Amino acid sequence: MARFSPEFMQSRAGYGIESRVPTFVLGMPRSGTTLVEQILGSHSRVYGAGELSLVPELIRKLNAWEIKLGTRRSYPECIDDLGKDESRRFAERHLAELQAYAPGAERVVDKLPHNFEHVGLIKLLFPNARILHLKREPRDVAMSNYFVDYAAKFGGMGFAYDLSWIGEQLVDHQRLMNHWHRVFPGQILDVDYDALVEDVEGWAHRIIDYLELPWEEEVLAFQELDRAVKTASVWQVRQPVYTTSKAKWKRYAEHLEPLENVLADIPPMPEPLPLSRIPAALP
């Protein structure tokens, strides 16, 4: 948030490339990202590529580039070293990796949920990228994560095994999304999961319009999409849309004090980092 301030993004106008292919579905895990990707992937001009590691890999490349540059700063602080030409080279490589999944697709969807941390980087390299953010009652998100064994207690999903840690993730997620909406007003589509499951067709129209694509009735047959699903939502996406998970957290309200305490403690927003001179470019 401190690095990708409104002032920083304004100072980097013209960075990246204009492609509209990159499309990102993001939000907290278990917030409905898989459902939205299924809807999008049912459109003939869209390819749902699943949860890709391309953005984390891009960050690793940026850190390696920074070592070569010599300052040894890490992402995200090092982003102010990135010149316009380098930003285009990084974007072109990333786009080529995306298009390799579906060379003819007009939109390729990366639905890695935690890309919500990196909206600033995404918009720096792809100012025209479409970003769909899934919103859901935070306590329902917490319960849904807590009841799933990701077999990753000591990995990236370790937070899901502890209610206080889930709460910290939820608070940071909301702080980040509030920040991104301020930096990129009107450019991120919030998709309310509870509203989506009540009105799939209405939201499907809204989602396809946001991607600037023509409507196709096949989008409403998203459960029939024949592709692999490798997330904890693998069973749900094959079923009719259901609303029984709404407000499920209320059944466990008496046990949620650790979660509620964290959700009530919102840290202040950080001060923006100062803008710096862009150094000479490296190949």
Side-chain angles (χ1 to χ4, degrees):
M1 288 186 283
R3 176 66 286 156
F4 291 103
S5 64
E7 296 78 13
F8 175 80
M9 294 304 300
Q10 291 164 11
S11 74
R12 266 56 179 178
Y15 274 49
I17 59 178
E18 299 296 315
S19 174
R20 296 181 182 272
V21 171
T23 304
F24 298 85
V25 176
L26 45 79
M28 280 291 292
R30 312 294 293 166
S31 63
T33 55
T34 299
L35 173 58
V36 169
E37 189 206 21
Q38 286 285 112
I39 292 171
L40 289 172
S42 299
H43 195 285
S44 65
R45 304 187 189 181
V46 180
Y47 181 76
E51 297 185 5
L52 302 180
S53 62
L54 293 183
V55 173
E57 180 59 31
L58 171 61
I59 291 168
R60 284 191 287 271
K61 292 174 183 174
L62 285 166
N63 283 331
W65 174 82
E66 189 68 19
I67 290 173
K68 183 179 180 182
L69 188 66
T71 70
R72 296 186 177 273
R73 292 193 298 163
S74 298
Y75 174 87
E77 288 82 2
C78 68
I79 285 297
D80 66 346
D81 289 337
L82 197 68
K84 187 176 292 187
D85 289 341
E86 290 92 0
S87 76
R88 290 172 179 168
R89 282 196 287 269
F90 277 112
E92 286 165 356
R93 292 169 190 162
H94 190 95
L95 177 61
E97 292 172 327
L98 268 182
Q99 290 178 315
Y101 286 91
E106 295 183 24
R107 308 284 187 271
V108 178
V109 181
D110 179 349
K111 64 147 290 225
L112 187 67
H114 271 83
N115 278 338
F116 72 76
E117 299 175 358
H118 308 300
V119 171
L121 175 61
I122 290 168
K123 294 295 283 184
L124 182 69
L125 299 185
F126 302 106
N128 291 326
R130 290 295 185 260
I131 297 174
L132 298 97
H133 166 234
L134 268 295
K135 297 174 61 178
R136 188 182 178 190
E137 158 60 50
R139 296 163 186 84
D140 279 332
V141 173
M143 289 296 90
S144 188
N145 276 282
Y146 192 65
F147 289 139
V148 171
D149 184 0
Y150 291 99
K153 190 170 185 177
F154 303 103
M157 293 300 294
F159 71 90
Y161 297 82
D162 180 275
L163 286 176
S164 294
W165 197 356
I166 293 174
E168 291 174 6
Q169 286 273 313
L170 286 163
V171 168
D172 285 343
H173 162 256
Q174 192 55 59
R175 292 172 71 230
L176 275 162
M177 292 313 305
N178 290 343
H179 175 74
W180 299 136
H181 276 296
R182 284 195 292 271
V183 179
F184 308 108
Q187 298 180 50
I188 300 168
L189 179 65
D190 281 335
V191 180
D192 187 292
Y193 174 78
D194 291 334
L196 170 63
V197 297
E198 293 286 356
D199 181 18
V200 174
E201 182 171 357
W203 272 98
H205 275 278
R206 202 172 306 177
I207 289 167
I208 298 303
D209 285 346
Y210 173 66
L211 264 64
E212 299 182 325
L213 294 173
W215 175 252
E216 294 179 354
E217 288 295 328
E218 290 77 8
V219 168
L220 299 178
F222 57 87
Q223 288 106 341
E224 301 172 13
L225 183 62
D226 184 20
R227 70 171 183 86
V229 179
K230 300 178 181 179
T231 74
S233 306
V234 61
W235 179 80
Q236 289 96 324
V237 299
R238 306 303 186 203
Q239 312 303 316
V241 172
Y242 59 93
T243 61
T244 54
S245 61
K246 293 177 61 175
K248 189 176 179 179
W249 68 270
K250 292 182 178 180
R251 305 176 199 174
Y252 310 97
E254 63 184 288
H255 305 289
L256 299 185
E257 184 177 354
L259 173 68
E260 297 284 6
N261 289 340
V262 176
L263 292 179
D265 184 15
I266 311 298
M269 302 295 277
E271 290 295 323
L273 291 172
L275 303 181
S276 66
R277 181 183 62 84
I278 300 171
L282 279 179

